[in-house]
Structure formats: structure tokens, C-alpha cells
């Protein structure tokens, strides 16, 4: 994510899609993964401005809390 965005200048919104929605579509699980929508798994990675992981939420529950 960091390299694609900072080194290659890919807009952040496009980089996030490349890392989330695109793999979900390719693996045919976009009905549960790849974006934040009602009815989908609540798997989320929260990063700070330096792209360091602060929190990981899996199925709606905090799995990692580095903040």
C-alpha cells in the first residue's frame, strides 16, 4: 500500500481498491470481503499517516491494538 501510493504515485483510493476489492472479486468472495458495507464481514485494518498498522478488526472485534 505504502509503496504503491508513495513511490509510484497511485492515488490512495485506487491503491486501497487494488489491495481490497480487486482480490475479493478475483477470489469470488466480494459478497463478504473487499469493502465496508452492511452485511459484509467487518474485517478492517486501520493505519496511521505513515501507513503503520494501528488496529486490526476481524469480524467486528479488535484483534490487534497498537495505538
Amino acid at each position: 500500500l505504502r509503496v504503491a501510493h508513495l513511490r509510484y504515485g497511485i492515488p490512495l483510493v485506487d491503491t486501497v481498491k487494488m489491495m481490497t476489492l480487486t482480490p475479493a472479486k478475483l477470489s469470488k468472495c466480494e459478497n463478504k470481503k473487499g469493502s465496508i458495507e452492511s452485511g459484509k464481514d467487518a474485517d478492517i485494518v486501520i493505519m496511521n499517516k505513515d501507513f503503520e498498522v494501528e488496529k486490526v478488526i476481524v469480524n467486528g472485534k479488535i484483534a490487534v491494538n497498537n495505538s
Side-chain angles (χ1 to χ4, degrees):
L1 185 68
R2 175 182 26 221
V3 171
H5 177 61
L6 296 178
R7 185 177 297 169
Y8 296 108
I10 299 170
L12 189 56
V13 70
D14 295 332
T15 304
V16 170
K17 282 183 185 177
M18 287 174 21
M19 304 291 179
T20 58
L21 189 56
T22 300
K25 285 182 176 181
L26 290 172
S27 60
K28 299 186 183 344
C29 65
E30 70 270 18
N31 62 326
K32 286 294 200 181
K33 306 280 186 191
S35 60
I36 300 172
E37 297 178 54
S38 177
K40 289 192 171 188
D41 294 347
D43 299 340
I44 303 166
V45 177
I46 299 171
M47 298 181 202
N48 63 22
K49 64 180 178 152
D50 296 318
F51 296 96
E52 296 166 334
V53 174
E54 291 197 353
K55 287 187 182 164
V56 176
I57 301 169
V58 179
N59 290 320
K61 297 187 182 342
I62 295 175
V64 175
N65 189 354
N66 294 329
S67 56

